[in-house]
PDB file of all heavy atoms in Angstrom:
ATOM      1  N   ALA A   1       2.001-214.616  75.280  1.00  0.00           N
ATOM      2  CA  ALA A   1       2.838-215.315  76.249  1.00  0.00           C
ATOM      3  C   ALA A   1       2.307-215.030  77.654  1.00  0.00           C
ATOM      4  O   ALA A   1       1.221-214.457  77.817  1.00  0.00           O
ATOM      5  CB  ALA A   1       4.291-214.881  76.104  1.00  0.00           C
ATOM      6  N   THR A   2       3.089-215.379  78.683  1.00  0.00           N
ATOM      7  CA  THR A   2       2.614-215.316  80.069  1.00  0.00           C
ATOM      8  C   THR A   2       2.136-213.933  80.465  1.00  0.00           C
ATOM      9  O   THR A   2       1.106-213.787  81.124  1.00  0.00           O
ATOM     10  CB  THR A   2       3.728-215.769  81.025  1.00  0.00           C
ATOM     11  OG1 THR A   2       4.128-217.092  80.670  1.00  0.00           O
ATOM     12  CG2 THR A   2       3.242-215.747  82.464  1.00  0.00           C
ATOM     13  N   GLU A   3       2.856-212.880  80.056  1.00  0.00           N
ATOM     14  CA  GLU A   3       2.469-211.543  80.508  1.00  0.00           C
ATOM     15  C   GLU A   3       1.133-211.100  79.927  1.00  0.00           C
ATOM     16  O   GLU A   3       0.482-210.201  80.466  1.00  0.00           O
ATOM     17  CB  GLU A   3       3.552-210.521  80.155  1.00  0.00           C
ATOM     18  CG  GLU A   3       3.732-210.263  78.675  1.00  0.00           C
ATOM     19  CD  GLU A   3       4.746-209.167  78.389  1.00  0.00           C
ATOM     20  OE1 GLU A   3       5.512-208.823  79.320  1.00  0.00           O
ATOM     21  OE2 GLU A   3       4.766-208.677  77.255  1.00  0.00           O
ATOM     22  N   LEU A   4       0.697-211.728  78.826  1.00  0.00           N
ATOM     23  CA  LEU A   4      -0.596-211.405  78.230  1.00  0.00           C
ATOM     24  C   LEU A   4      -1.553-212.597  78.273  1.00  0.00           C
ATOM     25  O   LEU A   4      -2.481-212.682  77.467  1.00  0.00           O
ATOM     26  CB  LEU A   4      -0.410-210.960  76.771  1.00  0.00           C
ATOM     27  CG  LEU A   4       0.271-209.614  76.537  1.00  0.00           C
ATOM     28  CD1 LEU A   4       0.394-209.341  75.044  1.00  0.00           C
ATOM     29  CD2 LEU A   4      -0.479-208.481  77.228  1.00  0.00           C
ATOM     30  N   GLU A   5      -1.357-213.503  79.197  1.00  0.00           N
ATOM     31  CA  GLU A   5      -2.172-214.726  79.254  1.00  0.00           C
ATOM     32  C   GLU A   5      -3.659-214.388  79.386  1.00  0.00           C
ATOM     33  O   GLU A   5      -4.058-213.575  80.225  1.00  0.00           O
ATOM     34  CB  GLU A   5      -1.736-215.588  80.428  1.00  0.00           C
ATOM     35  CG  GLU A   5      -2.500-216.898  80.535  1.00  0.00           C
ATOM     36  CD  GLU A   5      -1.955-217.805  81.631  1.00  0.00           C
ATOM     37  OE1 GLU A   5      -1.037-217.369  82.350  1.00  0.00           O
ATOM     38  OE2 GLU A   5      -2.455-218.938  81.757  1.00  0.00           O
ATOM     39  N   PHE A   6      -4.465-215.030  78.551  1.00  0.00           N
ATOM     40  CA  PHE A   6      -5.915-214.835  78.594  1.00  0.00           C
ATOM     41  C   PHE A   6      -6.514-215.696  79.699  1.00  0.00           C
ATOM     42  O   PHE A   6      -6.094-216.839  79.915  1.00  0.00           O
ATOM     43  CB  PHE A   6      -6.548-215.179  77.246  1.00  0.00           C
ATOM     44  CG  PHE A   6      -6.478-214.061  76.244  1.00  0.00           C
ATOM     45  CD1 PHE A   6      -5.276-213.706  75.652  1.00  0.00           C
ATOM     46  CD2 PHE A   6      -7.620-213.356  75.897  1.00  0.00           C
ATOM     47  CE1 PHE A   6      -5.195-212.671  74.735  1.00  0.00           C
ATOM     48  CE2 PHE A   6      -7.568-212.318  74.975  1.00  0.00           C
ATOM     49  CZ  PHE A   6      -6.353-211.971  74.394  1.00  0.00           C
ATOM     50  N   ALA A   7      -7.501-215.150  80.391  1.00  0.00           N
ATOM     51  CA  ALA A   7      -8.137-215.847  81.499  1.00  0.00           C
ATOM     52  C   ALA A   7      -9.028-216.972  80.986  1.00  0.00           C
ATOM     53  O   ALA A   7      -9.506-216.945  79.839  1.00  0.00           O
ATOM     54  CB  ALA A   7      -8.963-214.863  82.329  1.00  0.00           C
ATOM     55  N   ASP A   8      -9.259-217.973  81.838  1.00  0.00           N
ATOM     56  CA  ASP A   8     -10.194-219.047  81.498  1.00  0.00           C
ATOM     57  C   ASP A   8     -11.578-218.464  81.239  1.00  0.00           C
ATOM     58  O   ASP A   8     -11.991-217.485  81.866  1.00  0.00           O
ATOM     59  CB  ASP A   8     -10.275-220.068  82.630  1.00  0.00           C
ATOM     60  CG  ASP A   8      -9.016-220.919  82.752  1.00  0.00           C
ATOM     61  OD1 ASP A   8      -8.180-220.864  81.826  1.00  0.00           O
ATOM     62  OD2 ASP A   8      -8.873-221.619  83.770  1.00  0.00           O
ATOM     63  N   GLY A   9     -12.291-219.097  80.332  1.00  0.00           N
ATOM     64  CA  GLY A   9     -13.628-218.620  79.978  1.00  0.00           C
ATOM     65  C   GLY A   9     -13.582-217.798  78.702  1.00  0.00           C
ATOM     66  O   GLY A   9     -12.707-217.966  77.856  1.00  0.00           O
ATOM     67  N   ASP A  10     -14.524-216.881  78.567  1.00  0.00           N
ATOM     68  CA  ASP A  10     -14.690-216.102  77.341  1.00  0.00           C
ATOM     69  C   ASP A  10     -14.165-214.683  77.501  1.00  0.00           C
ATOM     70  O   ASP A  10     -14.553-213.979  78.428  1.00  0.00           O
ATOM     71  CB  ASP A  10     -16.163-216.038  76.937  1.00  0.00           C
ATOM     72  CG  ASP A  10     -16.717-217.391  76.543  1.00  0.00           C
ATOM     73  OD1 ASP A  10     -15.940-218.249  76.099  1.00  0.00           O
ATOM     74  OD2 ASP A  10     -17.929-217.579  76.701  1.00  0.00           O
ATOM     75  N   THR A  11     -13.304-214.277  76.595  1.00  0.00           N
ATOM     76  CA  THR A  11     -12.864-212.885  76.513  1.00  0.00           C
ATOM     77  C   THR A  11     -13.289-212.329  75.164  1.00  0.00           C
ATOM     78  O   THR A  11     -12.956-212.892  74.120  1.00  0.00           O
ATOM     79  CB  THR A  11     -11.336-212.758  76.647  1.00  0.00           C
ATOM     80  OG1 THR A  11     -10.935-213.183  77.957  1.00  0.00           O
ATOM     81  CG2 THR A  11     -10.895-211.312  76.446  1.00  0.00           C
ATOM     82  N   VAL A  12     -14.065-211.252  75.189  1.00  0.00           N
ATOM     83  CA  VAL A  12     -14.478-210.589  73.955  1.00  0.00           C
ATOM     84  C   VAL A  12     -13.410-209.566  73.577  1.00  0.00           C
ATOM     85  O   VAL A  12     -13.034-208.713  74.383  1.00  0.00           O
ATOM     86  CB  VAL A  12     -15.837-209.890  74.126  1.00  0.00           C
ATOM     87  CG1 VAL A  12     -16.252-209.196  72.825  1.00  0.00           C
ATOM     88  CG2 VAL A  12     -16.905-210.884  74.561  1.00  0.00           C
ATOM     89  N   VAL A  13     -12.894-209.691  72.352  1.00  0.00           N
ATOM     90  CA  VAL A  13     -11.876-208.775  71.839  1.00  0.00           C
ATOM     91  C   VAL A  13     -12.563-207.843  70.837  1.00  0.00           C
ATOM     92  O   VAL A  13     -13.128-208.293  69.841  1.00  0.00           O
ATOM     93  CB  VAL A  13     -10.723-209.535  71.155  1.00  0.00           C
ATOM     94  CG1 VAL A  13      -9.669-208.557  70.649  1.00  0.00           C
ATOM     95  CG2 VAL A  13     -10.111-210.558  72.113  1.00  0.00           C
ATOM     96  N   THR A  14     -12.520-206.550  71.115  1.00  0.00           N
ATOM     97  CA  THR A  14     -13.152-205.538  70.265  1.00  0.00           C
ATOM     98  C   THR A  14     -12.052-204.754  69.552  1.00  0.00           C
ATOM     99  O   THR A  14     -11.143-204.243  70.193  1.00  0.00           O
ATOM    100  CB  THR A  14     -14.027-204.589  71.105  1.00  0.00           C
ATOM    101  OG1 THR A  14     -14.977-205.367  71.851  1.00  0.00           O
ATOM    102  CG2 THR A  14     -14.766-203.603  70.223  1.00  0.00           C
ATOM    103  N   VAL A  15     -12.154-204.645  68.225  1.00  0.00           N
ATOM    104  CA  VAL A  15     -11.046-204.119  67.417  1.00  0.00           C
ATOM    105  C   VAL A  15     -11.533-203.061  66.430  1.00  0.00           C
ATOM    106  O   VAL A  15     -12.613-203.182  65.841  1.00  0.00           O
ATOM    107  CB  VAL A  15     -10.366-205.248  66.603  1.00  0.00           C
ATOM    108  CG1 VAL A  15      -9.124-204.728  65.891  1.00  0.00           C
ATOM    109  CG2 VAL A  15     -10.034-206.432  67.479  1.00  0.00           C
ATOM    110  N   ARG A  16     -10.713-202.052  66.254  1.00  0.00           N
ATOM    111  CA  ARG A  16     -10.864-201.119  65.144  1.00  0.00           C
ATOM    112  C   ARG A  16      -9.473-200.569  64.818  1.00  0.00           C
ATOM    113  O   ARG A  16      -8.538-200.669  65.620  1.00  0.00           O
ATOM    114  CB  ARG A  16     -11.841-199.992  65.462  1.00  0.00           C
ATOM    115  CG  ARG A  16     -11.339-199.001  66.493  1.00  0.00           C
ATOM    116  CD  ARG A  16     -12.370-197.921  66.782  1.00  0.00           C
ATOM    117  NE  ARG A  16     -11.801-196.835  67.586  1.00  0.00           N
ATOM    118  CZ  ARG A  16     -12.484-195.780  68.004  1.00  0.00           C
ATOM    119  NH1 ARG A  16     -13.772-195.653  67.692  1.00  0.00           N
ATOM    120  NH2 ARG A  16     -11.894-194.823  68.710  1.00  0.00           N
ATOM    121  N   VAL A  17      -9.318-199.985  63.623  1.00  0.00           N
ATOM    122  CA  VAL A  17      -8.025-199.470  63.192  1.00  0.00           C
ATOM    123  C   VAL A  17      -8.221-198.065  62.623  1.00  0.00           C
ATOM    124  O   VAL A  17      -9.244-197.771  61.990  1.00  0.00           O
ATOM    125  CB  VAL A  17      -7.385-200.398  62.136  1.00  0.00           C
ATOM    126  CG1 VAL A  17      -6.066-199.822  61.629  1.00  0.00           C
ATOM    127  CG2 VAL A  17      -7.146-201.784  62.718  1.00  0.00           C
ATOM    128  N   ARG A  18      -7.245-197.196  62.839  1.00  0.00           N
ATOM    129  CA  ARG A  18      -7.289-195.817  62.368  1.00  0.00           C
ATOM    130  C   ARG A  18      -6.355-195.640  61.169  1.00  0.00           C
ATOM    131  O   ARG A  18      -5.322-196.317  61.077  1.00  0.00           O
ATOM    132  CB  ARG A  18      -6.860-194.889  63.509  1.00  0.00           C
ATOM    133  CG  ARG A  18      -7.040-193.405  63.244  1.00  0.00           C
ATOM    134  CD  ARG A  18      -6.772-192.596  64.508  1.00  0.00           C
ATOM    135  NE  ARG A  18      -5.413-192.802  65.002  1.00  0.00           N
ATOM    136  CZ  ARG A  18      -4.964-192.297  66.148  1.00  0.00           C
ATOM    137  NH1 ARG A  18      -5.771-191.583  66.921  1.00  0.00           N
ATOM    138  NH2 ARG A  18      -3.712-192.509  66.512  1.00  0.00           N
ATOM    139  N   ASP A  19      -6.704-194.731  60.249  1.00  0.00           N
ATOM    140  CA  ASP A  19      -5.819-194.482  59.108  1.00  0.00           C
ATOM    141  C   ASP A  19      -4.911-193.285  59.380  1.00  0.00           C
ATOM    142  O   ASP A  19      -4.997-192.641  60.439  1.00  0.00           O
ATOM    143  CB  ASP A  19      -6.617-194.303  57.810  1.00  0.00           C
ATOM    144  CG  ASP A  19      -7.528-193.081  57.824  1.00  0.00           C
ATOM    145  OD1 ASP A  19      -7.233-192.117  58.553  1.00  0.00           O
ATOM    146  OD2 ASP A  19      -8.535-193.081  57.076  1.00  0.00           O
ATOM    147  N   VAL A  20      -4.038-192.976  58.436  1.00  0.00           N
ATOM    148  CA  VAL A  20      -3.070-191.900  58.639  1.00  0.00           C
ATOM    149  C   VAL A  20      -3.730-190.527  58.661  1.00  0.00           C
ATOM    150  O   VAL A  20      -3.104-189.549  59.069  1.00  0.00           O
ATOM    151  CB  VAL A  20      -1.986-191.953  57.542  1.00  0.00           C
ATOM    152  CG1 VAL A  20      -1.160-193.211  57.659  1.00  0.00           C
ATOM    153  CG2 VAL A  20      -2.606-191.826  56.140  1.00  0.00           C
ATOM    154  N   SER A  21      -5.005-190.448  58.247  1.00  0.00           N
ATOM    155  CA  SER A  21      -5.740-189.185  58.292  1.00  0.00           C
ATOM    156  C   SER A  21      -6.515-189.015  59.585  1.00  0.00           C
ATOM    157  O   SER A  21      -7.192-187.998  59.779  1.00  0.00           O
ATOM    158  CB  SER A  21      -6.695-189.084  57.097  1.00  0.00           C
ATOM    159  OG  SER A  21      -5.975-189.111  55.873  1.00  0.00           O
ATOM    160  N   GLY A  22      -6.464-190.025  60.450  1.00  0.00           N
ATOM    161  CA  GLY A  22      -7.147-189.933  61.734  1.00  0.00           C
ATOM    162  C   GLY A  22      -8.544-190.511  61.762  1.00  0.00           C
ATOM    163  O   GLY A  22      -9.239-190.409  62.779  1.00  0.00           O
ATOM    164  N   ASN A  23      -9.000-191.126  60.673  1.00  0.00           N
ATOM    165  CA  ASN A  23     -10.329-191.736  60.632  1.00  0.00           C
ATOM    166  C   ASN A  23     -10.249-193.181  61.105  1.00  0.00           C
ATOM    167  O   ASN A  23      -9.372-193.927  60.666  1.00  0.00           O
ATOM    168  CB  ASN A  23     -10.893-191.711  59.209  1.00  0.00           C
ATOM    169  CG  ASN A  23     -11.040-190.301  58.680  1.00  0.00           C
ATOM    170  OD1 ASN A  23     -11.781-189.498  59.233  1.00  0.00           O
ATOM    171  ND2 ASN A  23     -10.324-189.987  57.614  1.00  0.00           N
ATOM    172  N   VAL A  24     -11.182-193.589  61.962  1.00  0.00           N
ATOM    173  CA  VAL A  24     -11.221-194.973  62.408  1.00  0.00           C
ATOM    174  C   VAL A  24     -12.270-195.741  61.613  1.00  0.00           C
ATOM    175  O   VAL A  24     -13.277-195.180  61.176  1.00  0.00           O
ATOM    176  CB  VAL A  24     -11.521-195.086  63.917  1.00  0.00           C
ATOM    177  CG1 VAL A  24     -10.390-194.522  64.736  1.00  0.00           C
ATOM    178  CG2 VAL A  24     -12.831-194.398  64.265  1.00  0.00           C
ATOM    179  N   GLY A  25     -12.016-197.015  61.399  1.00  0.00           N
ATOM    180  CA  GLY A  25     -12.933-197.861  60.653  1.00  0.00           C
ATOM    181  C   GLY A  25     -13.981-198.492  61.551  1.00  0.00           C
ATOM    182  O   GLY A  25     -14.048-198.234  62.762  1.00  0.00           O
ATOM    183  N   ALA A  26     -14.807-199.330  60.950  1.00  0.00           N
ATOM    184  CA  ALA A  26     -15.862-200.012  61.691  1.00  0.00           C
ATOM    185  C   ALA A  26     -15.266-201.009  62.677  1.00  0.00           C
ATOM    186  O   ALA A  26     -14.149-201.496  62.512  1.00  0.00           O
ATOM    187  CB  ALA A  26     -16.798-200.725  60.712  1.00  0.00           C
ATOM    188  N   VAL A  27     -16.034-201.301  63.706  1.00  0.00           N
ATOM    189  CA  VAL A  27     -15.607-202.196  64.782  1.00  0.00           C
ATOM    190  C   VAL A  27     -15.945-203.645  64.447  1.00  0.00           C
ATOM    191  O   VAL A  27     -16.988-203.931  63.861  1.00  0.00           O
ATOM    192  CB  VAL A  27     -16.308-201.798  66.098  1.00  0.00           C
ATOM    193  CG1 VAL A  27     -16.084-202.835  67.189  1.00  0.00           C
ATOM    194  CG2 VAL A  27     -15.821-200.444  66.559  1.00  0.00           C
ATOM    195  N   GLU A  28     -15.040-204.560  64.790  1.00  0.00           N
ATOM    196  CA  GLU A  28     -15.327-205.987  64.728  1.00  0.00           C
ATOM    197  C   GLU A  28     -14.955-206.628  66.060  1.00  0.00           C
ATOM    198  O   GLU A  28     -14.148-206.086  66.819  1.00  0.00           O
ATOM    199  CB  GLU A  28     -14.562-206.663  63.585  1.00  0.00           C
ATOM    200  CG  GLU A  28     -15.102-206.331  62.219  1.00  0.00           C
ATOM    201  CD  GLU A  28     -14.601-207.280  61.143  1.00  0.00           C
ATOM    202  OE1 GLU A  28     -14.122-208.381  61.510  1.00  0.00           O
ATOM    203  OE2 GLU A  28     -14.679-206.917  59.964  1.00  0.00           O
ATOM    204  N   GLN A  29     -15.550-207.795  66.327  1.00  0.00           N
ATOM    205  CA  GLN A  29     -15.285-208.506  67.569  1.00  0.00           C
ATOM    206  C   GLN A  29     -15.088-209.996  67.311  1.00  0.00           C
ATOM    207  O   GLN A  29     -15.646-210.556  66.365  1.00  0.00           O
ATOM    208  CB  GLN A  29     -16.449-208.331  68.559  1.00  0.00           C
ATOM    209  CG  GLN A  29     -16.608-206.913  69.064  1.00  0.00           C
ATOM    210  CD  GLN A  29     -17.770-206.772  70.032  1.00  0.00           C
ATOM    211  OE1 GLN A  29     -18.859-207.263  69.783  1.00  0.00           O
ATOM    212  NE2 GLN A  29     -17.537-206.085  71.129  1.00  0.00           N
ATOM    213  N   ILE A  30     -14.279-210.613  68.159  1.00  0.00           N
ATOM    214  CA  ILE A  30     -14.181-212.065  68.231  1.00  0.00           C
ATOM    215  C   ILE A  30     -14.248-212.448  69.696  1.00  0.00           C
ATOM    216  O   ILE A  30     -14.082-211.604  70.588  1.00  0.00           O
ATOM    217  CB  ILE A  30     -12.880-212.618  67.604  1.00  0.00           C
ATOM    218  CG1 ILE A  30     -11.653-212.095  68.363  1.00  0.00           C
ATOM    219  CG2 ILE A  30     -12.793-212.290  66.131  1.00  0.00           C
ATOM    220  CD1 ILE A  30     -10.346-212.767  67.938  1.00  0.00           C
ATOM    221  N   ILE A  31     -14.535-213.727  69.958  1.00  0.00           N
ATOM    222  CA  ILE A  31     -14.523-214.253  71.318  1.00  0.00           C
ATOM    223  C   ILE A  31     -13.426-215.300  71.414  1.00  0.00           C
ATOM    224  O   ILE A  31     -13.344-216.199  70.564  1.00  0.00           O
ATOM    225  CB  ILE A  31     -15.878-214.887  71.689  1.00  0.00           C
ATOM    226  CG1 ILE A  31     -16.990-213.834  71.644  1.00  0.00           C
ATOM    227  CG2 ILE A  31     -15.816-215.530  73.068  1.00  0.00           C
ATOM    228  CD1 ILE A  31     -18.384-214.419  71.822  1.00  0.00           C
ATOM    229  N   LEU A  32     -12.570-215.186  72.427  1.00  0.00           N
ATOM    230  CA  LEU A  32     -11.571-216.214  72.717  1.00  0.00           C
ATOM    231  C   LEU A  32     -12.053-217.012  73.910  1.00  0.00           C
ATOM    232  O   LEU A  32     -12.208-216.469  75.008  1.00  0.00           O
ATOM    233  CB  LEU A  32     -10.212-215.587  73.016  1.00  0.00           C
ATOM    234  CG  LEU A  32      -9.460-214.997  71.831  1.00  0.00           C
ATOM    235  CD1 LEU A  32      -8.103-214.472  72.274  1.00  0.00           C
ATOM    236  CD2 LEU A  32      -9.271-216.017  70.733  1.00  0.00           C
ATOM    237  N   HIS A  33     -12.315-218.299  73.687  1.00  0.00           N
ATOM    238  CA  HIS A  33     -12.776-219.191  74.753  1.00  0.00           C
ATOM    239  C   HIS A  33     -11.588-220.030  75.202  1.00  0.00           C
ATOM    240  O   HIS A  33     -11.067-220.845  74.434  1.00  0.00           O
ATOM    241  CB  HIS A  33     -13.909-220.079  74.260  1.00  0.00           C
ATOM    242  CG  HIS A  33     -14.398-221.056  75.299  1.00  0.00           C
ATOM    243  ND1 HIS A  33     -15.179-220.662  76.360  1.00  0.00           N
ATOM    244  CD2 HIS A  33     -14.195-222.391  75.449  1.00  0.00           C
ATOM    245  CE1 HIS A  33     -15.449-221.722  77.113  1.00  0.00           C
ATOM    246  NE2 HIS A  33     -14.854-222.773  76.583  1.00  0.00           N
ATOM    247  N   ILE A  34     -11.157-219.840  76.448  1.00  0.00           N
ATOM    248  CA  ILE A  34     -10.025-220.569  76.998  1.00  0.00           C
ATOM    249  C   ILE A  34     -10.538-221.645  77.945  1.00  0.00           C
ATOM    250  O   ILE A  34     -11.281-221.364  78.883  1.00  0.00           O
ATOM    251  CB  ILE A  34      -9.056-219.633  77.754  1.00  0.00           C
ATOM    252  CG1 ILE A  34      -8.652-218.454  76.860  1.00  0.00           C
ATOM    253  CG2 ILE A  34      -7.845-220.402  78.243  1.00  0.00           C
ATOM    254  CD1 ILE A  34      -7.969-218.853  75.575  1.00  0.00           C
ATOM    255  N   GLY A  35     -10.158-222.893  77.683  1.00  0.00           N
ATOM    256  CA  GLY A  35     -10.595-224.011  78.517  1.00  0.00           C
ATOM    257  C   GLY A  35     -11.188-225.111  77.680  1.00  0.00           C
ATOM    258  O   GLY A  35     -10.959-225.212  76.475  1.00  0.00           O
ATOM    259  N   ALA A  36     -11.961-225.989  78.354  1.00  0.00           N
ATOM    260  CA  ALA A  36     -12.590-227.115  77.671  1.00  0.00           C
ATOM    261  C   ALA A  36     -13.456-226.623  76.530  1.00  0.00           C
ATOM    262  O   ALA A  36     -13.990-225.520  76.563  1.00  0.00           O
ATOM    263  CB  ALA A  36     -13.428-227.925  78.658  1.00  0.00           C
ATOM    264  N   ALA A  37     -13.579-227.457  75.513  1.00  0.00           N
ATOM    265  CA  ALA A  37     -14.298-227.071  74.296  1.00  0.00           C
ATOM    266  C   ALA A  37     -15.797-227.163  74.487  1.00  0.00           C
ATOM    267  O   ALA A  37     -16.496-227.885  73.797  1.00  0.00           O
ATOM    268  CB  ALA A  37     -13.861-227.943  73.129  1.00  0.00           C
ATOM    269  N   LEU A  38     -16.327-226.413  75.455  1.00  0.00           N
ATOM    270  CA  LEU A  38     -17.768-226.339  75.663  1.00  0.00           C
ATOM    271  C   LEU A  38     -18.323-225.207  74.807  1.00  0.00           C
ATOM    272  O   LEU A  38     -17.604-224.250  74.504  1.00  0.00           O
ATOM    273  CB  LEU A  38     -18.085-226.067  77.133  1.00  0.00           C
ATOM    274  CG  LEU A  38     -17.602-227.141  78.117  1.00  0.00           C
ATOM    275  CD1 LEU A  38     -17.842-226.681  79.539  1.00  0.00           C
ATOM    276  CD2 LEU A  38     -18.316-228.446  77.857  1.00  0.00           C
ATOM    277  N   PRO A  39     -19.596-225.269  74.424  1.00  0.00           N
ATOM    278  CA  PRO A  39     -20.153-224.196  73.588  1.00  0.00           C
ATOM    279  C   PRO A  39     -20.133-222.871  74.342  1.00  0.00           C
ATOM    280  O   PRO A  39     -20.831-222.721  75.333  1.00  0.00           O
ATOM    281  CB  PRO A  39     -21.594-224.667  73.317  1.00  0.00           C
ATOM    282  CG  PRO A  39     -21.572-226.134  73.584  1.00  0.00           C
ATOM    283  CD  PRO A  39     -20.548-226.346  74.656  1.00  0.00           C
ATOM    284  N   PRO A  40     -19.319-221.894  73.923  1.00  0.00           N
ATOM    285  CA  PRO A  40     -19.308-220.595  74.605  1.00  0.00           C
ATOM    286  C   PRO A  40     -20.635-219.888  74.419  1.00  0.00           C
ATOM    287  O   PRO A  40     -21.286-220.020  73.391  1.00  0.00           O
ATOM    288  CB  PRO A  40     -18.181-219.833  73.907  1.00  0.00           C
ATOM    289  CG  PRO A  40     -17.403-220.881  73.165  1.00  0.00           C
ATOM    290  CD  PRO A  40     -18.368-221.959  72.828  1.00  0.00           C
ATOM    291  N   THR A  41     -21.051-219.129  75.424  1.00  0.00           N
ATOM    292  CA  THR A  41     -22.334-218.440  75.329  1.00  0.00           C
ATOM    293  C   THR A  41     -22.210-216.947  75.566  1.00  0.00           C
ATOM    294  O   THR A  41     -23.200-216.264  75.685  1.00  0.00           O
ATOM    295  CB  THR A  41     -23.326-219.009  76.356  1.00  0.00           C
ATOM    296  OG1 THR A  41     -22.760-218.901  77.665  1.00  0.00           O
ATOM    297  CG2 THR A  41     -23.621-220.463  76.063  1.00  0.00           C
ATOM    298  N   ALA A  42     -20.996-216.432  75.638  1.00  0.00           N
ATOM    299  CA  ALA A  42     -20.839-214.995  75.838  1.00  0.00           C
ATOM    300  C   ALA A  42     -21.380-214.245  74.634  1.00  0.00           C
ATOM    301  O   ALA A  42     -21.108-214.597  73.503  1.00  0.00           O
ATOM    302  CB  ALA A  42     -19.369-214.644  76.039  1.00  0.00           C
ATOM    303  N   THR A  43     -22.184-213.226  74.900  1.00  0.00           N
ATOM    304  CA  THR A  43     -22.714-212.400  73.826  1.00  0.00           C
ATOM    305  C   THR A  43     -21.864-211.149  73.719  1.00  0.00           C
ATOM    306  O   THR A  43     -21.745-210.407  74.682  1.00  0.00           O
ATOM    307  CB  THR A  43     -24.176-212.006  74.105  1.00  0.00           C
ATOM    308  OG1 THR A  43     -24.941-213.191  74.241  1.00  0.00           O
ATOM    309  CG2 THR A  43     -24.726-211.147  72.973  1.00  0.00           C
ATOM    310  N   PRO A  44     -21.228-210.901  72.580  1.00  0.00           N
ATOM    311  CA  PRO A  44     -20.367-209.718  72.470  1.00  0.00           C
ATOM    312  C   PRO A  44     -21.135-208.435  72.698  1.00  0.00           C
ATOM    313  O   PRO A  44     -22.290-208.307  72.303  1.00  0.00           O
ATOM    314  CB  PRO A  44     -19.827-209.804  71.045  1.00  0.00           C
ATOM    315  CG  PRO A  44     -20.755-210.701  70.328  1.00  0.00           C
ATOM    316  CD  PRO A  44     -21.302-211.659  71.342  1.00  0.00           C
ATOM    317  N   THR A  45     -20.516-207.487  73.381  1.00  0.00           N
ATOM    318  CA  THR A  45     -21.119-206.200  73.678  1.00  0.00           C
ATOM    319  C   THR A  45     -20.555-205.155  72.748  1.00  0.00           C
ATOM    320  O   THR A  45     -19.369-204.861  72.782  1.00  0.00           O
ATOM    321  CB  THR A  45     -20.834-205.800  75.139  1.00  0.00           C
ATOM    322  OG1 THR A  45     -21.310-206.826  75.996  1.00  0.00           O
ATOM    323  CG2 THR A  45     -21.515-204.479  75.480  1.00  0.00           C
ATOM    324  N   ARG A  46     -21.390-204.623  71.900  1.00  0.00           N
ATOM    325  CA  ARG A  46     -20.928-203.634  70.938  1.00  0.00           C
ATOM    326  C   ARG A  46     -20.637-202.314  71.640  1.00  0.00           C
ATOM    327  O   ARG A  46     -21.362-201.901  72.536  1.00  0.00           O
ATOM    328  CB  ARG A  46     -21.978-203.425  69.843  1.00  0.00           C
ATOM    329  CG  ARG A  46     -22.259-204.687  69.050  1.00  0.00           C
ATOM    330  CD  ARG A  46     -21.078-205.057  68.170  1.00  0.00           C
ATOM    331  NE  ARG A  46     -21.296-206.345  67.543  1.00  0.00           N
ATOM    332  CZ  ARG A  46     -20.513-206.872  66.634  1.00  0.00           C
ATOM    333  NH1 ARG A  46     -19.423-206.231  66.263  1.00  0.00           N
ATOM    334  NH2 ARG A  46     -20.771-208.043  66.097  1.00  0.00           N
TER     335      ARG A  46
END
């Protein structure tokens, strides 16, 4: 919603999850492209 509105252009979202033992899993990323449907060119940064 408004308080978490994503900015125009490309936002790279980097995600991982931890288990109840404190171990974190591998990282994954997606890109959210806000605006006209032009081919996004942002390269995710690991």
